[in-house]
Amino acid sequence: MKSRIATFLIALCMFMSGTAFAINPVNLNSDASKAVASLLKQEIDYPKFAKEENFECCVLVRIIVADDGTFKADCVNCNCVRMKAHVIKVIENIDKKEFSKYAGKEFSFKIDFKLI
């Protein structure tokens, strides 16, 4: 019985010490995400066809930044094919050299198109 308790305490101590020393802050790169989000707010406008049809939707997009600062819409999810094409076109036409420092990084955003 004593050996079971000792084994349990040793395992518990190893787990606790391993957990305590393994905690490293995860770099979320929130500054880069905020910069890309503010750029998208400036660049993506409400399309004319959606205004005329009183159309609202939500677009989920994953963006990859290339070495030269251009953006690639890696994965775009939307019910409306026209809205999806509009978002892809706008994102892939963005060319900002200052974003080349984020090359290779992936960012995921939800873009809501709502009429007010």
Side-chain angles (χ1 to χ4, degrees):
M1 183 70 177
K2 290 180 184 178
S3 62
R4 289 183 188 170
I5 294 173
T7 305
F8 175 75
L9 288 176
I10 289 173
L12 181 66
C13 289
M14 288 176 59
F15 174 74
M16 295 297 284
S17 64
T19 303
F21 291 114
I23 297 176
N24 292 328
V26 177
N27 187 5
L28 295 176
N29 212 353
S30 63
D31 294 335
S33 180
K34 288 178 185 177
V36 173
S38 66
L39 178 67
L40 288 179
K41 285 180 185 177
Q42 293 172 0
E43 295 289 328
I44 297 178
D45 57 341
Y46 207 96
K48 191 177 235 180
F49 71 87
K51 286 181 186 177
E52 292 170 355
E53 298 173 8
N54 291 331
F55 181 73
E56 295 181 345
C57 83
C58 171
V59 180
L60 300 174
V61 62
R62 183 173 56 211
I63 299 170
I64 299 175
V65 181
D67 294 334
D68 59 352
T70 58
F71 292 165
K72 178 176 182 344
D74 182 45
C75 180
V76 181
N77 188 3
C78 182
N79 290 335
C80 178
V81 177
R82 290 170 52 192
M83 189 68 82
K84 182 178 178 179
H86 170 73
V87 170
I88 291 172
K89 179 183 169 191
V90 170
I91 288 174
E92 292 187 351
N93 285 335
I94 297 174
D95 185 14
K96 301 282 186 179
K97 301 295 181 200
E98 61 265 14
F99 286 95
S100 61
K101 61 185 171 186
Y102 305 127
K105 297 208 184 282
E106 291 184 2
F107 301 99
S108 297
F109 295 104
K110 177 182 177 183
I111 304 168
D112 285 323
F113 291 100
K114 297 201 181 247
L115 291 172
I116 296 175

